[in-house]
Amino acid sequence: MSLSILQTLTGHVQAAFAALDLPPKQGRVIRSDRPDLAPFQCNGALAAAKAAKKNPREIAASVVEILTGNPDIADMEIAGPGFINLTPTDALITSRANALAASERTGAEHVAQPQKIVVDYGGANVAKPMHVGHLRSAVIGESLKRLLRFRGHDVTGDVHLGDWGLQMGHLISELEHEQPDLPYFDAKITNGYPTESPVSMDDMARLYPAASAKSKDDPARLKLSQEATAELQAGRAGYRALLDHFITVSIAYLKRGYGELGVEFDLWKGEASVDPLIPGMIDDLIAMGITEESDGALIIPVDETYDADKRKGIPPVMLRARTGAVLYHTTDLATLIDRKNEIGPDKIYYVVDQRQAMHFDQVFRACAKAGWYERDQLEHLGFGTVNGKDGKPFTTRGGGTLRLADLTEMMRDAAQERLAASGIGQDFDPEELEDIANKVGMAALKFADLQNQRTTNYVFDVERFVSFEGKTGPYLLYAAVRIKSLLRRAAKQGVTPGTINAVEDAEQKLVLTLDHFDDALAHAEDKRMPHILCDHVYSLAQAFSKFYAECPVLQDGVADETKASRLALAKLTLRQLTLGMGILGIDIPERM
RNA sequence: GGUUCCAUAGCUCAACUGGAUAGAGCAGCCGCCUUCUAAGCGGCAGGUUGAAGGUUCGAGUCCUUCUGGGACCGCCA
């Protein structure tokens, strides 16, 4: 793959800096803040002037002098305090456009040093229905996984089910309360349990909140759940058999839910799956001498300045509770060991709610104390909450949580309505209509989520989501679908893509945008922020829409070679849109 | 009380290791469909970047203080 225009210009300017005995690093070229003046700029003369205590404009002038006559640079200009504005030649733009068209990945490079990475996302719990709160982890995690994989890393996505804590004790004890005669509760029976689950997903969705609510103001009821949790973890056969049912039923349900979102995990492991590692791990930690007994619990202090009375500092990691049950910390640590044994990852990313930042800080500190991983191998990629218009976590009008299935149905319905309103889909068969509505709704939902900076909270406004205009998923689909239509029409007319010759302003801007793909991907990876890729894909769709409006492709009166050039440009755009949106988890229909 | 994140146009959000005139979308106003999908394109208007200081040739970005808001703070996950 040839160099991008940006890289080409950077090379020239850095060479000029080096020739002047200035740090080549400062010769870095960036996309211009003032595209009205020139597409590219270099601000390095200012930084260089500061270090060398010289006049920045003089340095800029020297750089320009060296670069004068460079065959890739059409125009240079020194502006303001010492900015160098750079305009590439038409020849450079055109040759790059053809290189991109010839590139299978439209210019996207693979990283030089691929890493083995685990992405822990999804955040689903056994027995709990999926609601809007699960959306972000799934959508962000999936796109990060795809991004890293596309960049060339060896990535494993793990759903890491919540299937081992008190919630299981809640379920078991509440089920016992409701159906005490089930064989799982008879301590004398230790095998031969029914193969059919005694509960459905709906049953669990009812039992868990019931137990949780009762336990809130009834210590005796809570104790039942805690005891059941401890017994389960101690290996009581009936409880283990129940847990297996819970997990099997939940995974079947979750696979459907995540499948609808286009989210696929490589591993469906959970907390329960690392249970066998826990006793040995605790022994090791004790042997290392980093544990302490405290109020009957086994802990690892992770902050010397911690003061429980003043509520200052970071609380210790809880390995084992007074009741004997292990906790969230313990299973997360055991999971780190499991991953070390099974995968040996260079990095592990946790795509989990920002509110759990301290939890991960604790786990990572404990892990560093144990010496299992370097601190920079573990990273919590927190995300903000989805809020309603009132700024509080999103709920239905009634105050309950909104189920994910209801949300996706809402999006699909809105898309169907919009499709009907446009009058385009009248001759489509119902199956295709349904498929289009699904893709449009899903694109709207995912893009609306992903375009927000990962770490901040954002407001979920249903009306805005279903408007499908402006900076939305459907806008992206629309651009792509128009290209598909164009390609079909071209095929019918016998026009084939040819050599790209970018001469019109809209054509050149489209090429410059296309050429930014690799940068956007690298930047998005570097920050682990999908919204950076969203911005790129949106800019691309915008650049194409302008091109489409200004540059007729197949219309009468357009020269044959211009048709072939523009068609090639359109096709290249479609390929990059498809790649970029694919990483975001957005599927494009054939027409809409 | 402690820790931490945030505050940018009427609304929702961007702004790449500090750079020029802080950008998009929505909402508002004005144009553009007998020819490639108007879920589109062009244009207008909209800002003391919460406040006050400081560092710097240069600050939305870095530092300090203040105001307002969110989240978290040992046996839940």
Side-chain angles (χ1 to χ4, degrees):
Chain A
M1 194 65 225
S2 63
L3 296 177
S4 71
I5 294 167
L6 184 75
Q7 288 166 334
T8 302
L9 296 176
T10 294
H12 294 322
V13 178
Q14 287 188 336
F17 269 67
L20 291 166
D21 273 336
L22 297 170
K25 205 180 155 194
Q26 291 173 337
R28 192 170 74 104
V29 173
I30 58 174
R31 294 201 298 162
S32 178
D33 291 337
R34 295 287 309 274
D36 52 316
L37 300 178
F40 298 97
Q41 63 176 285
C42 172
N43 300 339
L46 288 99
K50 194 175 202 170
K53 295 196 171 133
K54 283 184 180 166
N55 182 334
R57 282 195 71 107
E58 278 173 24
I59 291 178
S62 308
V63 171
V64 167
E65 197 185 326
I66 291 174
L67 292 173
T68 300
N70 186 297
D72 289 329
I73 301 170
D75 193 26
M76 275 179 295
E77 197 178 34
I78 300 168
F83 304 108
I84 305 170
N85 290 326
L86 299 151
T87 305
T89 58
D90 290 356
L92 180 61
I93 294 173
T94 289
S95 94
R96 181 60 181 167
N98 286 295
L100 291 174
S103 158
E104 197 178 331
R105 290 157 59 91
T106 71
E109 303 288 347
H110 285 98
V111 289
Q113 288 166 334
Q115 293 186 308
K116 212 173 254 191
I117 300 173
V118 172
V119 181
D120 183 320
Y121 67 109
N125 289 312
V126 158
K128 291 186 193 166
M130 295 177 73
H131 56 86
V132 287
H134 293 110
L135 188 68
R136 293 212 82 186
S137 180
V139 171
I140 295 171
E142 180 71 18
S143 73
L144 285 172
K145 183 189 78 181
R146 293 183 185 205
L147 170 67
L148 295 167
R149 199 168 273 167
F150 187 72
R151 293 276 293 156
H153 297 291
D154 176 5
V155 189
T156 305
D158 184 3
V159 67
H160 195 58
L161 287 177
D163 58 5
W164 198 235
L166 181 69
Q167 50 188 342
M168 294 302 111
H170 275 322
L171 264 184
I172 291 168
S173 56
E174 191 65 15
L175 182 61
E176 179 166 19
H177 174 71
E178 201 175 277
Q179 300 185 56
D181 297 333
L182 289 172
Y184 308 96
F185 303 117
D186 187 338
K188 291 194 291 283
I189 302 173
T190 56
N191 57 29
Y193 300 108
T195 51
E196 189 78 5
S197 171
V199 291
S200 66
M201 193 61 212
D202 286 340
D203 291 330
M204 290 193 281
R206 174 173 47 78
L207 291 167
Y208 173 77
S212 177
K214 287 182 195 169
S215 299
K216 218 164 196 176
D217 37 37
D218 181 357
R221 176 65 191 82
L222 176 62
K223 197 153 181 257
L224 286 180
S225 293
Q226 288 173 333
E227 282 167 3
T229 306
E231 284 194 71
L232 168 71
Q233 296 183 355
R236 180 164 164 173
Y239 289 4
R240 292 301 301 239
L242 268 181
L243 177 72
D244 288 343
H245 286 309
F246 296 161
I247 292 175
T248 305
V249 170
S250 293
I251 286 182
Y253 162 83
L254 291 170
K255 278 194 173 165
R256 267 203 312 280
Y258 281 121
E260 260 188 69
L261 286 176
V263 172
E264 290 167 2
F265 298 97
D266 303 296
L267 295 176
W268 282 85
K269 287 197 171 185
E271 298 173 315
S273 65
V274 297
D275 168 52
L277 298 174
I278 289 177
M281 177 185 82
I282 290 181
D283 288 346
D284 288 348
L285 290 168
I286 292 172
M288 286 177 202
I290 59 175
T291 61
E292 281 177 22
E293 292 275 343
S294 171
D295 294 335
L298 187 67
I299 62 168
I300 302 177
V302 294
D303 178 7
E304 300 82 40
T305 70
Y306 177 66
D307 184 332
D309 295 333
K310 288 185 185 158
R311 302 174 57 146
K312 236 177 111 174
I314 299 163
V317 159
M318 302 289 301
L319 282 176
R320 200 166 51 207
R322 207 179 302 135
T323 60
V326 298
L327 301 138
Y328 194 20
H329 287 138
T330 327
T331 52
D332 267 5
L333 284 171
T335 300
L336 281 163
I337 297 201
D338 183 48
R339 287 175 180 157
K340 196 176 176 67
N341 293 341
E342 303 294 322
I343 299 172
D346 299 304
K347 296 259 188 191
I348 301 179
Y349 296 140
Y350 292 85
V351 185
V352 181
D353 195 320
Q354 188 65 46
R355 288 177 291 194
Q356 295 189 37
M358 182 180 280
H359 162 77
F360 286 108
D361 195 13
Q362 290 172 291
V363 172
F364 297 168
R365 280 169 184 245
C367 191
K369 266 193 149 178
W372 295 330
Y373 289 86
E374 299 295 324
R375 190 50 236 272
D376 65 356
Q377 289 183 277
L378 309 175
E379 207 173 317
H380 171 217
L381 307 180
F383 54 84
T385 51
V386 179
N387 295 336
K389 273 181 167 174
D390 57 359
K392 291 176 188 160
F394 190 78
T395 55
T396 58
R397 226 171 291 171
T401 53
L402 178 62
R403 288 213 183 185
L404 203 51
D406 295 334
L407 177 60
T408 51
E409 191 185 327
M410 215 161 71
M411 301 302 291
R412 201 164 30 231
D413 289 349
Q416 206 130 34
E417 249 173 66
R418 180 63 186 81
L419 202 57
S422 75
I424 283 180
Q426 284 164 343
D427 55 331
F428 297 6
D429 62 66
E431 205 174 303
E432 187 181 359
L433 277 177
E434 169 103 24
D435 179 60
I436 294 170
N438 192 40
K439 283 175 173 155
V440 170
M442 209 51 85
L445 188 62
K446 288 184 179 178
F447 191 78
D449 193 308
L450 289 170
Q451 70 164 305
N452 294 290
Q453 183 173 290
R454 192 193 75 226
T455 49
T456 53
N457 299 342
Y458 78 94
V459 173
F460 183 96
D461 178 352
V462 177
E463 284 167 34
R464 189 156 51 86
F465 275 32
V466 301
S467 74
F468 302 157
E469 276 156 31
K471 192 174 181 180
T472 63
Y475 174 89
L476 305 178
L477 296 184
Y478 187 67
V481 158
R482 285 200 294 186
I483 301 175
K484 289 191 180 188
S485 169
L486 197 61
L487 294 176
R488 279 194 296 269
R489 186 177 288 263
K492 217 177 281 177
Q493 295 179 12
V495 179
T496 52
T499 303
I500 296 171
N501 187 24
V503 288
E504 296 294 327
D505 188 54
E507 292 175 320
Q508 296 200 333
K509 287 203 168 115
L510 179 55
V511 172
L512 293 177
T513 306
L514 285 159
D515 195 25
H516 183 59
F517 188 40
D518 188 57
D519 262 358
L521 292 167
H523 190 200
E525 178 190 341
D526 185 45
K527 300 280 187 211
R528 299 98 164 89
M529 296 271 197
H531 85 274
I532 294 168
L533 181 57
C534 287
D535 265 355
H536 171 73
V537 175
Y538 178 66
S539 301
L540 181 58
Q542 262 187 326
F544 174 77
S545 293
K546 276 175 194 161
F547 161 79
Y548 185 84
E550 288 172 27
C551 303
V553 180
L554 298 173
Q555 289 175 12
D556 293 342
V558 178
D560 284 351
E561 57 268 31
T562 303
K563 281 186 183 174
S565 164
R566 288 179 179 169
L567 194 62
L569 205 43
K571 193 178 172 187
L572 166 61
T573 302
L574 175 63
R575 289 199 299 120
Q576 190 173 100
L577 279 173
T578 306
L579 289 172
M581 288 160 76
I583 291 168
L584 299 174
I586 296 173
D587 287 335
I588 306 166
E590 286 309 302
R591 48 185 185 172
M592 62 187 271

